[in-house]
Amino acid sequence: MNSPVMIACAHGTSNTQGAAEVNALRAAIAELRPGLDVREAYVDVQQPDLVDVVAGLPEAEPAVVVPLLLSVGYHVKVDIARAVKSRPGSAAAAPLGPDPRLAALLDQRLREAGTTDNDVVVLAAAGSSNPNAAVSVEELLGQLQALRSNRIVAAYGASAKPSVPDAVAMLRQELAGGAGAGESAGAVDVGGRVVIASYLLAPGYFHDQLAKAGADVVTEPLLPSATLAQIALDRYDAAVAKMRETPSEPALEAAPGAPEAGAAEAPTDAQAGGIFKAVRRFVTKYFPR
């Protein structure tokens, strides 16, 4: 199998800087892996649309959609899954997060913003109606807590709770010695600041909203960073390895009540389909168009 095409699929944004940062991420991926065909696609706002990119691939060209997204959510579970299902020979990789390298990058952004041990931190993610997205963010939260002594809580820009402004207000009250402060709240020292750690890829609508949430400091988004390009390639490699582990022909397991192995039996529709697919793969591989 030749290296499948990588479809680096982002959410899409109308923010010029954000779009440029994501395009630079794709360029960094291609630079790290010379010869890899890295294509652009989006699930919202921008073009080309993922469905059109997948549909426009050459016949029998394998492809892996790598979500340039930070957690499992609607776009991964629905949009990307549907696009992949619509075309045999394509697969979806895992999203970029959670990953300990992202936690380290967030720690770097917090240090760049001058965060001290006395500050409290809101880990601000975009949010999703899919509960798995919150699970991913909580896992990332644990990875970040392993790197810092600050009190850190997760919050969301949309579709999940607490919202970022609510989390900021709660921590502001704790810092002032209000309800919930003290040892049970993480022994926060009075006098610290509320810092938002932007768990977002690039500037855009959600990052703009963080500035309005009432915090003292908002960190920069994750991009630009070479770390994201390496994580994307790792997700791609894992998906390709899984594709290659799949047998070239389906395993013929006997169903309950099926004849014993070796018994004379006409091929089933599924077996005939498997044989046809195997022949088609052989022709495609050795007699390319």
Side-chain angles (χ1 to χ4, degrees), residues 175-188:
L175 287 176
E183 291 183 5
S184 64
V188 176

Side-chain angles (χ1 to χ4, degrees), residues 207-224:
H207 187 73
D208 290 343
Q209 298 309 301
L210 299 185
K212 306 173 185 178
D216 298 299
V217 178
V218 179
T219 69
E220 293 297 317
L222 299 177
L223 287 173

Side-chain angles (χ1 to χ4, degrees), residues 135-160:
V135 172
S136 295
V137 174
E138 289 294 334
E139 183 176 343
L140 192 283
L141 172 66
Q143 293 167 348
L144 182 59
Q145 287 174 326
L147 300 175
R148 304 194 63 88
S149 62
N150 306 85
R151 169 150 159 74
I152 309 173
V153 298
Y156 304 91
S159 303

Side-chain angles (χ1 to χ4, degrees), residues 4-10 20-41 64-69 93-96 201 223 225-237:
V5 170
M6 176 197 282
I7 302 176
C9 181
E21 294 284 10
V22 173
N23 284 332
L25 172 57
R26 290 194 187 91
I29 293 169
E31 185 175 354
L32 284 175
R33 186 70 58 84
L36 177 62
D37 187 352
V38 181
R39 304 197 184 186
E40 177 183 17
V64 172
V65 179
V66 177
L68 301 184
L69 303 167
L96 302 178
L201 274 185
L223 287 173
S225 170
T227 298
L228 275 300
Q230 187 57 62
I231 294 174
L233 281 171
D234 289 347
R235 299 293 187 261
Y236 168 84
D237 289 340

Side-chain angles (χ1 to χ4, degrees), residues 11 14 25 35 43 55 86 88 92 111 135 159 177 187 197 199 220-221 255 258 262 266 280:
H11 179 275
S14 58
L25 172 57
V43 291
S86 72
R111 286 186 279 108
V135 172
S159 303
Y199 187 43
E220 293 297 317
R280 184 173 60 184

